[in-house]
Amino acid sequence: MGTWLAVLTAMQRPDRVAGIIGIASAPDYTALLRRQIGCHKAWVRELDEKGYVDLPTVYDRRGYYRIHRELIDEGDAHLLLDKTKDVALPDGIPIRLIHGLDDEDISSQYSRRLAERLSCSGNPNVRLELIEKGDHRLSSPEHLQKIHDILDEVVKDVCNSSYS
């Protein structure tokens, strides 16, 4: 959800954001959570009764993420992939979306759709980097080097630009 938050921040505080690098972007992730929870009666019941649901994950030592109803409801007000909503970002800021093609947690389609949405909103400086054999974490030395190279590119772009 970090890329989603970065884009929302850039929309609200354009004077404070000079570029965005997103890894395994999950825009509108709360809408996906709502659908996933809706497919399991026990999860729906837990959310209704407790106001939260514990969703299994391998990324937390507890083995679950606690998802509160407030998070899901608040997310509805900030959906980006809805084409009726204006996505106004600072003109031409570099946006790089990096996603592993073997990501089993968040489909690369999310990054693809976000890149298209941002490009269609008038930013010519949006690039999508799809990493072959890259999983959700992109933590191999080769993947980290690729991320480093993209970061260097964005920093140089920002330093040589008039929009920063």
Side-chain angles (χ1 to χ4, degrees), residues 12-151:
Q12 292 295 316
R13 306 282 308 268
D15 57 313
R16 304 290 301 242
V17 178
I20 296 172
I21 296 176
I23 300 173
S25 303
D28 301 2
Y29 186 63
T30 55
L32 174 63
L33 285 173
R34 185 183 301 278
R35 287 191 304 274
Q36 288 176 334
I37 292 167
C39 292
H40 296 83
K41 290 180 184 178
W43 291 353
V44 171
R45 187 172 42 260
E46 185 178 1
L47 188 61
D48 288 343
E49 292 173 2
K50 297 179 180 177
Y52 65 84
V53 61
D54 292 333
L55 299 182
T57 183
V58 297
Y59 297 113
D60 189 282
R61 62 177 164 39
R62 298 172 301 179
Y64 65 87
Y65 285 143
R66 180 159 288 169
I67 305 297
H68 289 265
R69 176 180 302 287
E70 292 85 5
L71 173 68
I72 296 169
D73 292 343
E74 177 71 16
D76 289 344
H78 303 287
L79 302 178
L80 291 175
L81 299 178
D82 175 4
K83 294 193 188 272
T84 63
K85 185 176 188 174
D86 184 36
V87 180
L89 293 171
D91 286 340
I93 68 165
I95 299 173
R96 302 297 178 267
L97 304 177
I98 308 164
H99 211 118
L101 289 173
D102 292 341
D103 189 336
E104 294 180 3
D105 298 302
I106 301 294
S107 168
S108 62
Q109 288 302 318
Y110 279 92
S111 287
R112 290 173 199 259
R113 290 179 61 205
L114 182 59
E116 179 183 331
R117 181 78 172 95
L118 296 173
S119 294
C120 290
S121 293
N123 186 336
N125 202 355
V126 177
R127 307 269 187 291
L128 174 61
E129 299 282 343
L130 297 173
I131 310 292
E132 287 194 35
K133 299 181 183 170
D135 62 6
H136 187 66
R137 292 188 174 197
L138 294 174
S139 58
S140 74
E142 299 82 22
H143 298 148
L144 292 173
Q145 183 61 52
K146 180 71 171 172
I147 293 167
H148 180 271
D149 294 346
I150 292 169
L151 176 59

